[in-house]
Amino acid sequence: MREAEDTRQVNMIVLSLLALAVGLATGVGAVIFRSMLVGLHNLFFFGQFSLTHISGATGPLSPLGLLIILVPVAGGVAVVWLTRRFASEAKGGGITDVMDAVYHREGRIRPRVAVVKTLASALSIGSGATVGREGPIVQIGAAIGSAVAQFSRLPSWQRITLLAAGASAGISATFNTPLGAVLFALELILPEISARTFLPVVIATGSATYVGRVVFGSYPAFVLPQMSFAASEMDHIFNLGAFVVLGLLSGLVAWGFIRTLLFAGEFMPRRFPNEYIRAAAGFTGIGIALYLFGHFTGHYYIIGGGYDAIAAILEGHVTTFLLLAVLCVAQVFATSLSIGSGASGGVFAPMLFIGAALGGAFGAAIHMVNETHGVSVADYAVIGMAAVVAGGTGAVMTAITMNFEMTRDYGIIVPLIIAVAVATGMRRALMADNIFSAELVRRGRPVPKDRYSNLYLVRSAREVMDARIAVMAADVPISEAAQWVVEGGMPNFVVLQSNGRIQGVVSLDSRIRTPELFGRSAETVRDMAITDYVIVRENNIIEEVMRRLVDRNATLALVVKDKPGIPRPGDVLGVIGKPQLADAILDAQIG
């Protein structure tokens, strides 16, 4: 697809400076958003506007008592009004909409989405919806990146690069895991992985991380327990088998979560076509769940993204098998109901919570069988977090790296790799789509499930060109040319020459152009020529050929001998057009 004429490509220095601005803006946006979450939570549940954090999951209960059921309803109805009035794409998790913008809208996100998403998600999470803050910040960062690119009139690939840079910056600002954030962009957002896309993403991520650390400190999102696996414990067959089993369970639970989320996304709109009634019905269920948890356990636990509840599990405060199992199941249904009812928030943090609860419950069950194997309940919770996230999102390296950054202990790598690999394989065996691509499929806007290395880009022009050519004088009449072409064996391209110079190309390849040669004796072949071509050398790789075609807005590339001087008609070896490029791509991907 050719870019509109009003776009202009900038060099890498300018693009990097723009990425720096996007990262800083996203970091500031993350600070504002997280402050709004705290303020609205305190306002909704305690009737006071304060920026002092009070744990929603494990802190004191609201003095509202039974009226707590209505708090999520109020927030949900407000979100419906806000998104209906200003930006419908601000509903849902955020990451899915970012992927949709990359693959289906050339990286374009309306600038107002950043503002509406901030307000809508703050209302959802602050009022108790069981969704996470990472998805909104990702979409906010992506919207900032897209807005900067659109204002600068950048072409689509640079627009998508800045969008991905903003998304990566959002993840880093949320979890303080810059390496994991970069891998997140590479695994889930960027359709192209190269130096020209990687550098802006790294710069934006680093600048957002800096802003977050200045305001929130250098600690990660969760202060996880120090893991201390001895070599003998890691090699013990019991522990290795336990990690495999936990991986299988994590993959199964991730699949179940995706299916439940999709079901809720279809059932709630079908059952309650009116969005306000849908929000009232769905969030009443969330409110009832919060009240029941508060009444029977003394804590809300599943409120919001569950960050405080995850911390309680990892710090060893929640170790009962029954409670952990209930939390795992409750989070699956509560998050699905929240998203299906119109909440604005992410699913990444809920998957972390589901994984922590699942891993903790598994660890508690293992301890009932064998208390001497040396792996604690909290350790299993950490591994479960990575396994469920990897299984659900398919972002294997992101899950491993982010959990490593949060624990800062290399001893976790081996159990993480085992559980993550098994969980991802289990989920893929049950369904090909991950939690984001499955939702896009449901919307009728699928994205590629896998990305292949572009091996065709390193093939030489000589390998790809169509060599069935002939050379003819440019002033030959059409009638004579037609007879000459028939007698000459019907080449696919005729290179025209005059005074030893290339004058153009006549294409006889029906996939490019079909000239009407017969019955036009008054014209010469020069009149039929394609003149918007570029010259490439036989050893140029296809990446360079494609770049030159795009830069010159050309139809064809003439492949000439690799020798110095101005190419002459006799130096032309072949022709490359879009059909030849398509054949090269298909051969590399399928052949």
Side-chain angles (χ1 to χ4, degrees), residues 142-283:
I144 292 173
S146 178
V148 169
Q150 290 179 71
F151 178 79
S152 304
R153 295 184 290 123
L154 302 185
S156 61
W157 79 264
Q158 292 188 327
R159 192 163 54 242
I160 290 172
T161 298
L162 285 186
L163 179 152
S168 176
I171 283 287
S172 181
T174 302
F175 293 110
N176 191 18
T177 54
L179 292 178
V182 170
L183 288 173
F184 164 83
L186 298 183
E187 287 192 284
L188 291 177
I189 305 298
L190 278 174
E192 173 196 333
I193 302 174
S194 63
R196 69 177 189 170
T197 59
F198 181 75
L199 183 59
V201 168
V202 171
I203 291 173
T205 302
S207 58
T209 303
Y210 174 76
V211 172
R213 288 182 176 180
V214 167
V215 177
F216 302 115
S218 60
Y219 296 103
F222 309 110
V223 181
L224 305 185
Q226 188 76 12
M227 302 186 72
S228 55
F229 290 118
S232 59
E233 293 173 346
M234 283 305 309
D235 295 336
H236 196 283
I237 189 64
F238 184 89
N239 288 333
L240 292 175
F243 299 144
V244 171
V245 174
L246 178 55
L248 290 171
L249 289 174
S250 298
L252 185 62
V253 168
W255 169 79
F257 180 46
I258 297 172
R259 286 299 185 192
T260 305
L261 195 66
L262 293 175
F263 174 78
E266 295 174 355
F267 173 79
M268 292 300 290
R270 187 170 62 248
R271 182 67 178 83
F272 304 102
N274 184 283
E275 291 186 64
Y276 290 102
I277 296 176
R278 186 190 315 158
F283 289 111

Side-chain angles (χ1 to χ4, degrees), residues 29-168:
V31 171
I32 295 172
F33 179 60
R34 290 178 63 172
S35 298
M36 290 178 62
L37 291 184
V38 173
L40 287 173
H41 170 77
N42 292 339
L43 183 63
F44 273 117
F45 286 87
F46 299 99
Q48 57 182 10
F49 188 83
S50 169
L51 296 181
T52 301
H53 176 69
I54 301 175
S55 174
T58 58
L61 298 179
S62 169
L64 293 176
L66 189 61
L67 292 177
I68 195 69
I69 295 174
L70 300 179
V71 172
V73 176
V77 171
V79 168
V80 170
W81 178 84
L82 193 64
T83 54
R84 279 172 59 95
R85 180 69 176 80
F86 299 104
S88 61
E89 61 266 46
K91 294 187 295 184
I95 296 176
T96 303
D97 293 284
V98 171
M99 294 173 66
D100 179 69
V102 168
Y103 287 99
H104 294 285
R105 288 183 274 130
E106 298 183 318
R108 290 186 174 90
I109 300 177
R110 292 193 295 170
R112 70 169 64 180
V113 170
V115 177
V116 177
K117 190 69 176 182
T118 300
L119 296 173
S121 297
L123 283 168
S124 286
I125 301 171
S127 63
T130 311
V131 289
R133 66 179 182 232
E134 78 298 324
I137 296 181
V138 166
Q139 192 171 9
I140 291 166
I144 292 173
S146 178
V148 169
Q150 290 179 71
F151 178 79
S152 304
R153 295 184 290 123
L154 302 185
S156 61
W157 79 264
Q158 292 188 327
R159 192 163 54 242
I160 290 172
T161 298
L162 285 186
L163 179 152
S168 176

Side-chain angles (χ1 to χ4, degrees), residues 222-570:
F222 309 110
V223 181
L224 305 185
Q226 188 76 12
M227 302 186 72
S228 55
F229 290 118
S232 59
E233 293 173 346
M234 283 305 309
D235 295 336
H236 196 283
I237 189 64
F238 184 89
N239 288 333
L240 292 175
F243 299 144
V244 171
V245 174
L246 178 55
L248 290 171
L249 289 174
S250 298
L252 185 62
V253 168
W255 169 79
F257 180 46
I258 297 172
R259 286 299 185 192
T260 305
L261 195 66
L262 293 175
F263 174 78
E266 295 174 355
F267 173 79
M268 292 300 290
R270 187 170 62 248
R271 182 67 178 83
F272 304 102
N274 184 283
E275 291 186 64
Y276 290 102
I277 296 176
R278 186 190 315 158
F283 289 111
T284 296
I286 299 298
I288 292 172
L290 293 179
Y291 174 77
L292 292 176
F293 268 107
H295 179 75
F296 288 105
T297 69
H299 299 291
Y300 294 128
Y301 283 122
I302 63 170
I303 192 173
Y307 295 94
D308 295 323
I310 294 172
I313 295 172
L314 301 179
E315 291 167 6
H317 301 314
V318 182
T319 58
T320 306
F321 169 80
L322 181 60
L323 178 56
L324 287 166
V326 170
L327 288 176
C328 177
V329 175
Q331 187 75 9
V332 168
F333 286 101
T335 300
S336 300
L337 184 59
S338 294
I339 297 294
S341 301
S344 177
V347 297
F348 203 94
M351 280 191 288
L352 287 173
F353 185 8
I354 293 167
L358 174 66
F362 180 79
I366 290 293
H367 273 259
M368 296 178 189
V369 178
N370 182 0
E371 296 184 358
T372 62
H373 61 90
V375 184
S376 70
V377 171
D379 294 339
Y380 277 115
V382 174
I383 298 168
M385 288 167 63
V388 171
V389 167
T393 65
V396 173
M397 294 305 300
T398 300
I400 293 173
T401 305
M402 287 184 66
N403 276 265
F404 170 65
E405 286 187 282
M406 289 190 287
T407 60
R408 299 177 183 178
D409 188 339
Y410 194 77
I412 196 176
I413 291 296
V414 173
L416 278 183
I417 291 175
I418 293 173
V420 162
V422 173
T424 305
M426 180 67 174
R427 192 270 301 165
R428 288 181 67 92
L430 295 171
M431 65 182 301
D433 287 294
N434 61 46
I435 197 167
F436 305 122
S437 62
E439 171 60 21
L440 287 171
V441 168
R442 188 178 71 84
R443 298 181 188 179
R445 301 174 72 85
V447 298
K449 297 179 178 63
D450 298 294
R451 283 178 291 175
Y452 299 92
S453 297
N454 295 331
L455 299 178
Y456 66 91
L457 291 177
V458 299
R459 297 182 66 184
S460 68
R462 176 184 280 275
E463 293 180 86
V464 175
M465 71 182 187
D466 188 335
R468 289 167 292 184
I469 65 170
V471 178
M472 178 186 296
D475 295 325
V476 173
I478 293 295
S479 57
E480 295 180 23
Q483 184 65 29
W484 183 89
V485 165
V486 172
E487 294 175 354
M490 295 297 292
N492 282 344
F493 299 94
V494 177
V495 179
L496 305 183
Q497 59 109 2
S498 177
N499 298 322
R501 300 279 183 160
I502 300 172
Q503 300 296 313
V505 185
V506 172
S507 171
L508 305 179
D509 186 342
S510 61
R511 298 179 300 175
I512 297 178
R513 185 178 177 185
T514 308
E516 295 293 340
L517 295 182
F518 300 97
R520 302 176 62 180
S521 57
E523 299 181 12
T524 65
V525 288
R526 186 194 298 271
D527 300 321
M528 308 295 296
I530 297 173
T531 57
D532 55 335
Y533 61 86
V534 295
I535 300 293
V536 298
R537 304 291 176 177
E538 59 181 315
N539 292 325
N540 287 150
I541 62 174
I542 293 303
E543 180 184 29
E544 178 62 22
V545 175
M546 294 173 67
R547 193 180 305 279
R548 297 194 65 183
L549 284 170
V550 172
D551 290 344
R552 296 285 298 275
N553 197 21
T555 300
L556 299 172
L558 299 187
V559 183
V560 301
K561 296 176 181 178
D562 194 6
K563 66 178 187 179
I566 299 175
R568 302 298 180 181

